[in-house]
Amino acid sequence: MRTLLDLPKAHLHLHLEGAMRPATLADFATTAGEAAPATRGFTSFAEFGGMYRDAVAFLRTPDQLARITREVVADAAESGAVWIEAQMNPMFYVPRFGSVEEVLELVIAEGQAEADRLGIGFGLMVCALRDAPPEAAEELARVGVRYVGRGAVSFGLASDESLFPPAPFERAFAIAREGGLVSTPHAGELLGPDSVRDAIDLLGARRIQHGVRAVEDPALVERLAAEGVVLDVCPTSNVELFVVPEIGQHPLPALLEAGVRCTINGDDPLLFGPGLLEEYETARTVLGLSDEQLAGVARTSLEAAAAPAELIATQVAAVDAWLAAPA
Ligand code: ADE
Ligand code: ZN
C-alpha cells in the first residue's frame, strides 16, 4: 500500500494559531495561571471565531509565537509536507510585542529556520481580516509586499465571509498582487458561488481558500476547471463549520471529477482535530479518492504553491514516483 505519509504534498491552507498544538496552548495557559480555553463545541462560525481569538489571546510573548511557528512547521513535515504556506494576521500581536514588521520578521525567520532544519520549504501568507476595515487590509498589503522575496508569498483574507463579502477588499488585493503576492482569499465557504466569482473577478484569486460552495453552480464549476483556478479544500473544517452536513457528502470528489484543481488541507487542526495527513487519509478512506486522484491533488498542491520552481519540479517528480511504485 502506498502510504500517504510518503506522498509529497504542500500544505496551502493552514492558520498559524489554529494549528497550534493543544499541549502548547495548555502550556501557555499554565504559564498565564489561567484555565486553557475551550477549542471544541462551537455551534456557529461566530462561536468558532470567538474560540479562535480566545486561543490567540494566550500568545503573549515573541517566544510563544516563535514556538508555535516552529511546531506548526514540524507538524507539517511529520505529515509528509515538503512545503508549508501558513497564514497569519500580524495585527493581533502589534499591541502586545511589536510592529507589523517585527511580527512578520519573527514568523518568517522561525518558519524558515525550522523548515531548513527539516529539509522542507516555508512561505508566509499574510492574511487580512474581513472584520477589520478595508484600509487596514490595504496597509497590511503595503507592508506585506516589502517581504516578497524574503518569505512572504501570498495574501489572504479570513474571518466571517457572510458578514463581510469580498468587494471592499479590491484595492488591498490589487496592492498585494502588484507587489508580487499571490492572491489567496477565503471564499465560497460561508457564502455561495457569487462570492467565489467575486474573489476571482475582484480580488484576482488564482487560489481560493475553500471555494467548495462553487459546486452549487455548474457554470462556475466549469469556469474553475477551464481557468485552472485552484481550491484549497479543508474537508473536516467544512463539516465542523456547517458548510456541508456530513463528511460523506463533501463535494471534493465531485469537484475533482468535474476537472477542478483541488488541494487538501487542515485549516485549523486545533479546533477541528485532524492534521494534513489525517485529511488525506479521510479523502482516501471516506471520500473514496483513488491513488491517482490523491497523487493528482498532491501534484496540484505543489504546482499551485508559491514555492521555488526547483522545489516544485523535484517534488512533482517525487509524486510521479510515488504513483509509479507498486500499490
Ligand atoms: N479563520 C480561521 N479559520 C477560518 C475559516 N475556516 N474561515 C474563515 N476564517 C477563518
Ligand atoms: Zn481557513
Side-chain angles (χ1 to χ4, degrees):
M1 172 114 145
R2 301 179 187 107
T3 77
L4 293 171
L5 174 62
D6 293 337
L7 177 62
K9 41 200 163 312
H11 202 173
L12 301 181
H13 183 166
L14 188 69
H15 300 263
L16 186 68
E17 302 93 349
M20 189 176 0
R21 294 176 184 166
T24 300
L25 179 57
D27 260 11
F28 293 165
T30 303
T31 303
E34 294 171 39
T39 54
R40 299 289 163 86
F42 40 87
T43 60
S44 64
F45 186 87
E47 278 180 28
F48 157 81
M51 287 189 193
Y52 193 103
R53 284 188 293 277
D54 288 348
V56 174
F58 281 90
L59 288 155
R60 295 176 190 171
T61 68
D63 280 352
Q64 290 174 321
L65 183 59
R67 174 175 165 187
I68 70 158
T69 305
R70 289 193 304 269
E71 290 178 351
V72 166
V73 172
D75 291 348
E78 283 271 303
S79 276
V82 295
W83 170 261
I84 172 171
E85 202 172 306
Q87 60 192 287
M88 58 96 60
N89 183 293
M91 297 303 181
F92 286 130
Y93 305 101
V94 172
R96 295 179 213 169
F97 55 71
S99 62
V100 172
E101 288 85 347
E102 284 168 327
V103 173
L104 292 180
E105 283 165 27
L106 181 148
V107 173
I108 290 170
E110 293 292 334
Q112 287 188 334
E114 185 66 1
D116 281 353
R117 195 178 73 75
L118 297 167
I120 69 172
F122 171 88
L124 179 66
M125 184 189 300
V126 179
C127 187
L129 295 178
R130 322 179 95 102
D131 46 356
E135 294 74 26
E138 290 159 26
E139 181 53 23
L140 186 60
R142 271 184 217 105
V143 178
V145 299
R146 299 217 301 269
Y147 292 89
V148 170
R150 299 192 284 150
V153 295
S154 49
F155 192 70
L157 183 64
S159 81
D160 197 333
E161 179 190 8
S162 67
L163 299 178
F164 305 97
F169 298 94
E170 206 172 338
R171 189 198 299 259
F173 276 79
I175 295 166
R177 287 196 320 275
E178 280 158 25
L181 294 169
V182 177
S183 168
T184 54
H186 282 62
E189 178 195 27
L190 308 177
L191 289 182
D194 284 347
S195 180
V196 173
R197 265 189 288 269
D198 281 352
I200 299 168
D201 295 333
L202 304 180
L203 308 186
R206 299 295 301 158
R207 242 177 65 204
I208 296 179
Q209 306 270 290
H210 297 298
V212 288
R213 289 193 52 194
V215 79
E216 294 166 21
D217 180 346
L220 178 59
V221 169
E222 245 179 65
R223 179 180 173 192
L224 295 176
E227 296 182 8
V229 175
V230 172
L231 305 186
D232 292 328
V233 174
C234 307
T236 303
S237 164
N238 293 154
V239 176
E240 293 285 316
L241 290 175
F242 321 104
V243 177
V244 302
E246 52 138 345
I247 193 71
Q249 292 181 43
H250 196 280
L252 176 61
L255 289 163
L256 291 171
E257 290 293 338
V260 179
R261 302 173 77 208
C262 296
T263 70
I264 292 175
N265 307 273
D267 207 6
D268 300 289
L270 172 68
L271 295 112
F272 306 141
L276 177 65
L277 183 56
E278 291 78 25
E279 295 288 355
Y280 269 81
E281 300 281 6
T282 299
R284 175 186 255 175
T285 58
V286 182
L287 300 182
L289 297 201
S290 65
D291 281 5
E292 285 73 17
Q293 286 176 307
L294 291 161
V297 166
R299 200 179 291 116
T300 296
S301 74
L302 294 160
E303 287 167 354
E310 195 190 315
L311 181 152
I312 294 172
T314 307
Q315 297 300 340
V316 166
V319 170
D320 294 341
W322 180 87
L323 192 58

